[in-house]
């Protein structure tokens, strides 16, 4: 009986608790509903408007802005003359659409007139005629390249954009012709061969203090998908083993949250944008990096004052913020369905996070270290040639999302590992992980899934 009365006495307390819980849940739901329905504040609207404006402006710069670099590629190197050919007022045989596509240049199908698209589908366009390359430039359809024409329609100069190296197309119309894929590394692009079309590389030879023939030999060694941003800093065209010193073109997507940029961590994304736009694209802007004044490490840069570039007018600096914002907004693309073994990838994820210790440096979900994401050559078990060409003499922990988009040309900065499995094998040996063959394959499948 005593226990019975205790249970009865406890009922009001239990009832009160139930009422309080119900009221709390109701208030929580009401609060959540309020959050959803609440109108944005003025500062919210300003942020949203600014974000969209910045993305739009940054996309325009990424795709179409030369930053005045036509003064170098056209006026100085006269590359446009080689593209046009002698019959159109230039020099030599000219660059046909077929040769341009073979060199890795891409065509934006959305920039083409519908009549031309139909003619291409029906095989009615002569892809061996340089005049059609010039026509593509007039349509602003060559990804990353802008042709400048005089009043008579003659190609008088040309410039390049970020998209030349860091965009490709989806091949929806034909190989090399399709819709833009911004941020993808163009591993088909033979930058060295394209520059070598120039009838006059004396300006480059003068900066490097070598012969024009030597410049052409360096460019010819690059091959598809590679570029050497440090050549005009240290003058090293080749590695000690005789291979090219050029590195693979990296993707420009999935960079949000990633600190140091490029293979060897020169700086942040806006630092590298300013570096490339001024020193590689040869645009007209402002760039300051006193590290380049070191004549021992960067003799070419120190001799030519590349550590402190000031152009008047400055056609770049007002655009770097929007360009940065747009690049950070480009997501890493998801792998196509069926491109990897899902069950193996699930097992590989467990290995990545635990036994293989990959996540120690490639920290999910950004897959690089938050903070100073740099390592010595000894830490990762490779030579230090490329690291020593950068100020910090280290290699960056590369983010891993979208690896499937740039398998062509291999992995690491110079493509030394032809497949993801060879990368896994390298780390298995270097760190003594003792992974089984099945575990190695599972880990490679997980990397394909990112």
């Amino acid at each position: 009986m005593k226990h019975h009365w205790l249970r009865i006495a406890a009922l009001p307390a239990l009832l009160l608790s139930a009422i309080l819980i119900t009221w709390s849940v109701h208030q929580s739901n009401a609060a959540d509903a309020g959050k959803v329905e609440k109108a944005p504040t003025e500062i919210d609207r300003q942020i949203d408007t600014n974000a969209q404006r910045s993305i739009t402006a940054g996309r325009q710069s990424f795709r179409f802005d030369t930053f005045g670099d036509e003064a170098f590629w056209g006026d100085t190197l006269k590359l446009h003359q080689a593209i046009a050919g002698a019959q159109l007022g230039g020099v030599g045989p000219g660059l046909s659409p077929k040769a341009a596509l073979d060199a890795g240049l891409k065509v934006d199908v959305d920039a083409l007139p519908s009549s031309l698209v139909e003619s291409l589908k029906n095989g009615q366009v002569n892809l061996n005629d340089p005049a059609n390359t010039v026509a593509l430039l007039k349509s602003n359809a060559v990804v990353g390249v802008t042709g400048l024409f005089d009043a008579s329609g003659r190609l008088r100069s040309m410039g390049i954009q970020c998209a030349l190296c860091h965009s490709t197309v989806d091949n929806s119309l034909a190989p090399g012709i399709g819709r833009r894929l911004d941020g993808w590394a163009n591993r088909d692009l033979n930058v060295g061969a394209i520059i070598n079309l120039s009838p006059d590389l004396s300006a480059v030879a003068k900066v490097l203090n070598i012969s024009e023939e030597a410049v052409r030999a360096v460019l010819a060694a690059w091959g598809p998908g590679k570029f050497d941003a440090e050549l005009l800093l240290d003058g090293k065209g080749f590695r000690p083993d005789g291979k090219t010193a050029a590195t693979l073109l990296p993707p420009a997507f999935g960079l949000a949250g990633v600190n140091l940029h490029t293979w060897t961590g020169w700086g942040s994304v806006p630092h590298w944008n300013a570096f490339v736009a001024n020193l590689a694209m040869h645009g007209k802007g402002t760039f300051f990096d006193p590290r380049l004044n070191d004549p021992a490490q960067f003799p070419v840069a120190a001799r030519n004052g590349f550590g402190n570039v000031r152009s008047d007018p400055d056609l770049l600096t007002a655009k770097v913020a929007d360009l940065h914002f747009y690049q950070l907004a480009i997501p890493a693309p998801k792998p196509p369905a069926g491109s990897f073994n899902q069950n193996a990838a699930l097992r590989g994820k467990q290995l990545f996070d635990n036994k293989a210790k990959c996540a120690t440096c490639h920290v999910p979900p950004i897959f690089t270290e938050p903070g100073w994401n740099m390592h010595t050559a000894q830490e990762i078990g490779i030579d230090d040639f490329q690291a020593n060409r950068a100020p910090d003499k280290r290699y960056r922990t590369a983010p891993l999302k979208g690896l499937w988009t740039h398998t062509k040309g291999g992995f690491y900065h110079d493509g030394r590992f032809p497949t993801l499995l060879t990368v896994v094998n390298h780390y298995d040996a270097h760190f003594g992980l003792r992974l089984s063959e099945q575990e190695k394959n599972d880990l490679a499948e997980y990397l394909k899934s990112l």
Side-chain angles (χ1 to χ4, degrees), residues 100-305:
L101 291 170
D102 288 344
L105 290 168
K106 306 297 182 181
V107 176
D108 178 7
V109 69
D110 292 327
L112 300 176
S114 57
S115 58
L116 180 55
V117 171
E118 288 304 312
S119 296
L120 284 167
K121 288 180 179 178
N122 297 324
Q124 298 171 340
V125 178
N126 184 357
L127 298 180
N128 293 307
D129 186 353
N132 287 325
T133 304
V134 174
L136 289 172
L137 287 172
K138 281 186 177 179
S139 298
N140 208 18
V142 181
V143 175
V145 181
T146 293
L148 289 90
F149 295 84
D150 61 22
S152 66
R154 177 177 172 178
L155 185 63
R156 64 173 179 80
S157 190
M158 61 155 287
I160 63 172
Q161 292 89 35
C162 306
L164 175 64
C165 296
H166 303 290
S167 288
T168 184
V169 296
D170 63 5
N171 301 322
S172 54
L173 180 61
I177 307 175
R179 291 185 171 86
R180 289 175 180 262
L181 297 171
D182 281 355
W184 293 43
N186 187 352
R187 292 288 176 84
D188 298 318
L189 188 68
N190 196 327
V191 183
I194 293 170
I195 298 175
N196 251 341
L197 295 174
S198 167
D200 184 4
L201 290 176
S202 60
V204 180
K206 183 178 180 181
V207 168
L208 291 172
N209 198 24
I210 60 176
S211 69
E212 193 169 336
E213 291 72 23
V215 172
R216 293 188 183 278
V218 169
L219 295 173
W222 287 1
K226 289 189 174 183
F227 178 77
D228 191 353
E230 282 90 359
L231 176 63
L232 294 183
L233 307 181
D234 60 16
K236 296 177 180 179
F238 297 93
R239 295 164 46 98
D241 61 7
K243 296 180 181 179
T244 178
T247 58
L248 287 168
L249 296 170
F253 54 57
L255 295 178
V258 178
N259 181 24
L260 297 179
H261 188 38
T262 74
W263 300 117
T264 49
W266 272 81
S268 61
V269 173
H271 169 279
W272 197 246
N273 284 344
F275 178 108
V276 170
N278 282 284
L279 302 185
M281 292 170 61
H282 301 274
K284 296 181 181 297
T286 299
F287 177 71
F288 180 71
D289 190 340
R291 297 175 297 179
L292 296 182
N293 297 331
D294 181 353
Q297 189 176 14
F298 306 114
V300 179
R303 186 170 64 243
N304 289 277

